[in-house]
Amino acid sequence: MDGDVQYGLRNRFHQIDWRRMQLEYPPLPLPNVALRNRGDLTFEDMSTKWRFDVGEDISHGMALADLDGDGDLDVVINRLGKSAAVLRNDAPAPRVAIRLSGAKPNTSGIGSRIRVLGGAVPTQQREVVAGGLYLSSSEALLTFATGTSKEVTIEVDWRDGRKTVIRGARPNRLYDIDQQSAQPALSPVADPAVAGGPALFQDVSAQLGGHTHVEPYFDDYARQLLLPNAFSQLGPGVAWDDIDGDGDEDLFVGAGQTGKLTWFRNDAGGLKPAAVRVPAAPGDLTTILGWPDGRGGRAILAGVSNYEMLATEPTLTAPSVLSYSVGTGTVASVVPGDTASIGAIAVADYSGDGRLDIFVGGRIRPGGYPLSPSSRLFRNAGDTLVHDTANDRLFAGIGMVSSALFSDINGDGWQDLILAIEWGTIRVFFNEKGRFRAAPDLPGLAGLYSRWNGIATGDLDGDGRLDIVATSWGRNTDYRATETRPLLLFAGFFGPRGSPGVLLAQEDPRIRGVAPLTSYARLGAAMPGLSSRVRTFASYADASIEDVLGSTASDVVKLGATTMDHMVFLNRGDRFEARPLPMDAQMAPAFYAGVADFNGDGKEDVFLSQNFFATEVATPRYDAGRSLLLAGDGAGNLKAVAGQLSGLMVYGEQRGAAYADFNADGRLDLVVSQNGAATRLFQNVAAKPGLRVRLAGPPGNPTGIGTQMRLMYGDRRGPVREVQAGSGYWSQNGAVQVLGRSTDPTALWVRWPGGGEQVIELTRGQSEITVRAR
């Protein structure tokens, strides 16, 4: 009896739940979608053009089969409560159809892999499967596009290890391939690109003794809940500098707050950790640069971020730039503190007096993102740095400077200033003999807004003009931006108790307005008054930015980004030609960009540091990169080099990086830092050795910062290389340059800061040269 009662009650509750489900969860018919692969990892909606718009329904199963025997696959869709939809494939493009006749009992060759080589794309590959679709299974026949090819090669790898190869297969034919004709597979052959020798770089990180960057945890979102990402994990920078004057460039790596600047002494081509008697960093160290100390020796400059310090000590005044004398352990403030948190610093003799001056970039206002901080210039007066107020008017409120670089972009012998600005454009300031002038809107640069991270210059097309490489966040992110549909950031005092708040938004065609991208729950926690204006999740789905911000909407500042691509801007003299970096580079955010000839073929290449883990809570970390080498063809085109070939594989979140020939073998090596993880050192072992060029400049600029050079081959010239301090991202490449040789050069052209030129003849096979300033 009791059991019968219990069963009856359960059955009654089930009926109630079922009826409630019908009321609360009504059917949701939707249109079917068909997407065409554009071939660049993006897709185009072809639902209407391909006649998949058969009306809104509840589609369950879908399967493919050649129902009319014309060699292409037709579509059958099972629709709940409706008749099945049958779509005949009338595609006119040529193709081959392949059906397998396997040995019993696997007569359809399930599990075999089919490749078609030389068709519409170099390689197409599919596996013959049974099932694999929702409640459905397609016919075991596969079709492959042949494009304009007159014939293709078909390869079948059978499950028993045998192989069938059909050469000269013709388009618009069905090939029924029998497993009985398969042959034993040959022994695997090494990749021909690898078989010729080792990878370009070899990991020698053991020389660094397991060095790991220090990054204590900091809660960025306690101050501003809606930040798009954390800003406490932006370092470290790295630098190559001959600190002890022995002719070999040493390595320096920055640290997070409480960590210490690290020195690796270069001892006859090998790096060893060296004792540095310096105090712990008062804040995160940002850019690391070498610097003449004014007494004939060398010091290390380090930017200091106050971003975390001001969270607990709002009245604290900390220096913006420290000078480390690593031999004595002396630390001195050379640039006083500011309300902005410092990020990028760059060094050059922009005043033309033979001494190096400094640009100090404001990265962020602690607790006030994205309000614009000011940046500053300091002129070297010999024994002190003097605030250059005459030039500073250009940089008051310039924006959040992510990276800065002095580079002679117009080729007049004076170091111009180039800035990468978050939620801004790449800004160029021409140096007119010590006075800076904002460049006019340069076609190719103007109007291209992004959340730029890093910047570098180099002569990628070999025309003697320096091109620009700028890193951003790439395409593999939650938010895409275009000129017609930019990503927007609204900033104002709409946070708790009128504190600074930010809100990402984008145009929503459905509501014909700009809509917030932040979730309702998260936005409600950051804006206590939101629930009084937008009461439900359903209403939030239809809410515009004006609905969300209410009366504060008229007082907000709007910033925008029209691209997230990493870009190269080819210098055409009076304009720039903007090109996105190859798709492989767009798979992860990038920071450092280094332009140099890494493979020694006489053409400049590009190296990128990648990844970012400190995303906001709703966004998975961006970890699809492992650092990337892009090989240049000398005409401005770049091609990704697989990690197995380059030898460069770093899976953490990389930041600063720098190249130098630390073992003096005529090949450029690389160091790559990681935030909160191990520093990686890669020795170049396979490049063709180039010409090592060492500069001996004046006492105030002994390494020749700002000098340009290029090899000459009779009447022909190679690409220009410039010695820089602060390039890429918060880092300094080695001052000793290695110039790749396409053939045997006849001379070396050098132009010093200020415009003085030299041409030095080279002997056949010469491997190194020292050039002294006249």
Side-chain angles (χ1 to χ4, degrees):
M1 180 67 181
D2 291 342
D4 296 334
V5 171
Q6 290 175 6
Y7 173 80
L9 289 174
R10 284 198 302 268
N11 189 45
R12 182 182 177 187
F13 287 142
H14 285 172
Q15 290 177 352
I16 293 173
D17 289 343
W18 175 76
R19 291 171 182 172
R20 180 177 297 169
M21 184 178 297
Q22 274 196 319
L23 294 174
E24 296 182 354
Y25 302 97
L28 181 61
L30 292 171
N32 294 309
V33 178
L35 302 174
R36 184 180 71 88
N37 189 339
R38 292 192 179 107
D40 60 355
L41 301 184
T42 65
F43 293 85
E44 177 183 2
D45 190 341
M46 302 294 288
S47 307
T48 300
K49 188 172 183 179
W50 287 355
R51 303 293 302 277
F52 269 72
D53 56 341
V54 293
E56 295 186 348
D57 57 35
I58 300 174
S59 297
H60 283 163
M62 183 178 74
L64 309 179
D66 184 8
L67 300 178
D68 54 1
D70 64 352
D72 54 28
L73 295 175
D74 309 300
V75 181
V76 179
I77 303 174
N78 179 21
R79 304 186 296 166
L80 182 65
K82 294 185 177 181
S83 59
V86 181
L87 305 178
R88 186 179 64 198
N89 190 340
D90 289 332
R95 64 269 185 187
V96 292
I98 301 171
R99 180 185 292 118
L100 301 184
S101 297
K104 294 180 180 179
N106 186 9
T107 54
S108 295
I110 303 300
S112 301
R113 291 184 180 273
I114 303 175
R115 280 186 298 277
V116 172
L117 311 178
V121 295
T123 302
Q124 301 172 71
Q125 177 172 292
R126 294 282 304 277
E127 181 177 342
V128 183
V129 298
L133 304 176
Y134 181 70
L135 304 177
S136 308
S137 181
S138 295
E139 181 184 7
L141 177 139
L142 301 178
T143 62
F144 298 85
T146 57
T148 59
S149 299
K150 299 299 183 183
E151 57 183 39
V152 296
T153 298
I154 300 172
E155 295 182 353
V156 180
D157 292 327
W158 299 91
R159 290 287 296 158
D160 63 2
R162 290 188 294 165
K163 189 181 189 76
T164 298
V165 178
I166 300 176
R167 306 185 191 280
R170 305 291 298 276
N172 298 325
R173 284 168 169 77
L174 167 64
Y175 288 86
D176 198 326
I177 303 175
D178 198 318
Q179 188 174 358
Q180 292 183 3
S181 62
Q183 302 295 320
L186 300 176
S187 300
V189 178
D191 188 323
V194 179
L200 187 62
F201 288 89
Q202 178 182 344
D203 190 340
V204 293
S205 303
Q207 294 188 28
L208 306 183
H211 173 266
T212 299
H213 172 250
V214 173
E215 186 63 89
Y217 173 74
F218 179 79
D219 185 2
D220 295 64
Y221 305 100
R223 283 189 299 199
Q224 290 184 273
L225 179 60
L226 299 182
L227 287 175
N229 54 264
F231 291 88
S232 59
Q233 296 174 225
L234 298 181
V238 297
W240 293 98
D241 190 80
D242 182 10
I243 196 75
D244 53 10
D246 64 355
D248 297 319
E249 291 179 304
D250 307 304
L251 173 63
F252 293 86
V253 185
Q257 188 173 16
T258 74
K260 292 185 178 182
L261 178 74
T262 304
W263 173 22
F264 297 96
R265 188 193 302 272
N266 192 342
D267 184 10
L271 298 181
K272 296 180 181 179
V276 183
R277 299 186 299 274
V278 296
D284 286 356
L285 300 183
T286 62
T287 307
I288 308 296
L289 301 175
W291 176 257
D293 63 7
R295 300 181 299 275
R298 302 287 294 173
I300 296 296
L301 295 184
V304 182
S305 166
N306 64 13
Y307 179 76
E308 299 176 29
M309 292 185 283
L310 294 185
T312 55
E313 302 176 77
T315 61
L316 179 67
T317 300
S320 292
V321 181
L322 292 174
S323 174
Y324 288 86
S325 178
V326 296
T328 63
T330 304
V331 181
S333 171
V334 294
V335 173
D338 191 20
T339 55
S341 183
I342 298 307
I345 61 176
V347 164
D349 176 19
Y350 73 77
S351 59
D353 61 1
R355 295 187 293 260
L356 294 176
D357 313 302
I358 299 180
F359 171 83
V360 180
R363 180 62 185 90
I364 187 173
R365 287 190 180 184
Y369 177 88
L371 301 179
S372 176
S374 294
S375 297
R376 297 171 288 166
L377 279 170
F378 291 85
R379 186 170 46 82
N380 193 336
D383 56 352
T384 185
L385 290 170
V386 179
H387 189 189
D388 187 350
T389 55
N391 275 305
D392 258 10
R393 59 183 176 79
L394 291 172
F395 308 111
I398 190 66
M400 296 178 289
V401 176
S402 303
S403 187
L405 170 65
F406 284 107
S407 184
D408 183 8
I409 202 71
N410 60 0
D412 64 356
W414 290 81
Q415 295 291 284
D416 309 307
L417 181 60
I418 310 174
L419 305 179
I421 298 176
E422 183 182 3
W423 296 105
T425 59
I426 302 298
R427 297 294 304 274
V428 177
F429 297 88
F430 289 134
N431 185 350
E432 297 179 341
K433 298 184 178 180
R435 294 296 298 269
F436 284 99
R437 173 179 63 88
D441 288 343
L442 297 170
L445 282 180
L448 203 58
Y449 291 80
S450 188
R451 298 188 64 202
W452 301 113
N453 289 322
I455 196 163
T457 58
D459 187 5
L460 292 170
D461 55 5
D463 63 357
R465 293 186 290 258
L466 292 176
D467 310 304
I468 299 174
V469 177
T471 59
S472 184
W473 291 80
R475 301 178 188 175
N476 191 19
T477 67
D478 280 357
Y479 308 119
R480 298 291 299 275
T482 65
E483 292 187 18
T484 56
R485 191 167 179 258
L487 179 66
L488 302 173
L489 182 75
F490 289 85
F493 294 95
F494 50 76
R497 297 177 297 280
S499 62
V502 295
L503 183 58
L504 286 172
Q506 201 164 32
E507 182 183 355
D508 185 345
R510 187 180 60 84
I511 68 170
R512 298 181 181 180
V514 175
L517 298 177
T518 305
S519 70
Y520 182 59
R522 188 163 180 242
L523 188 57
M527 297 177 62
L530 177 65
S531 59
S532 64
R533 296 187 297 274
V534 183
R535 297 182 178 277
T536 65
F537 282 86
S539 59
Y540 183 69
D542 296 326
S544 68
I545 199 74
E546 291 79 13
D547 298 328
V548 169
L549 295 179
S551 61
T552 64
S554 60
D555 299 324
V556 299
V557 175
K558 182 172 70 173
L559 303 175
T562 57
T563 183
M564 290 294 176
D565 283 0
H566 313 302
M567 301 290 298
V568 58
F569 301 94
L570 297 177
N571 189 343
R572 302 308 188 197
D574 59 346
R575 61 184 177 87
F576 287 87
E577 180 183 334
R579 298 181 183 179
L581 290 183
M583 179 55 66
D584 301 71
Q586 308 293 350
M587 292 296 99
F591 291 83
Y592 170 85
V595 183
D597 186 359
F598 293 105
N599 58 13
D601 63 356
K603 304 164 187 174
E604 300 291 81
D605 311 308
V606 174
F607 171 78
L608 301 177
S609 67
Q610 298 179 303
N611 293 345
F612 188 84
F613 296 173
T615 56
E616 51 89 15
V617 65
T619 303
R621 69 185 197 177
Y622 299 133
D623 58 1
R626 55 179 185 180
S627 77
L628 183 65
L629 179 64
L630 300 168
D633 67 353
N637 304 304
L638 295 163
K639 183 178 181 180
V641 180
Q644 292 83 347
L645 302 181
S646 71
L648 299 169
M649 289 180 277
V650 186
Y651 291 91
E653 50 179 331
Q654 307 128 54
R655 293 291 186 268
Y659 60 76
D661 182 15
F662 78 87
N663 60 347
D665 66 351
R667 303 179 178 98
L668 286 175
D669 312 301
L670 272 168
V671 62
V672 184
S673 74
Q674 298 184 88
N675 184 272
T679 304
R680 303 287 296 279
L681 179 66
F682 295 92
Q683 181 178 325
N684 193 326
V685 296
K688 178 184 176 183
L691 176 69
R692 282 171 49 88
V693 182
R694 186 188 302 271
L695 301 177
N701 184 10
T703 58
I705 300 298
T707 303
Q708 293 187 355
M709 62 187 75
R710 64 193 306 194
L711 292 176
M712 302 177 66
Y713 305 88
D715 295 334
R716 183 174 62 87
R717 296 189 176 192
V720 168
R721 181 83 56 79
E722 187 175 61
V723 183
Q724 302 166 340
S727 60
Y729 178 81
W730 295 11
S731 300
Q732 178 171 303
N733 301 311
V736 177
Q737 300 296 311
V738 177
L739 304 181
R741 298 176 281 202
S742 57
T743 59
D744 213 29
T746 57
L748 174 69
W749 171 87
V750 175
R751 181 171 64 202
W752 295 88
E757 296 187 13
Q758 295 174 251
V759 176
I760 304 99
E761 291 188 2
L762 300 173
T763 61
R764 186 175 181 83
Q766 186 171 349
S767 61
E768 187 164 351
I769 187 173
T770 298
V771 182
R772 301 185 182 279
R774 292 175 178 173

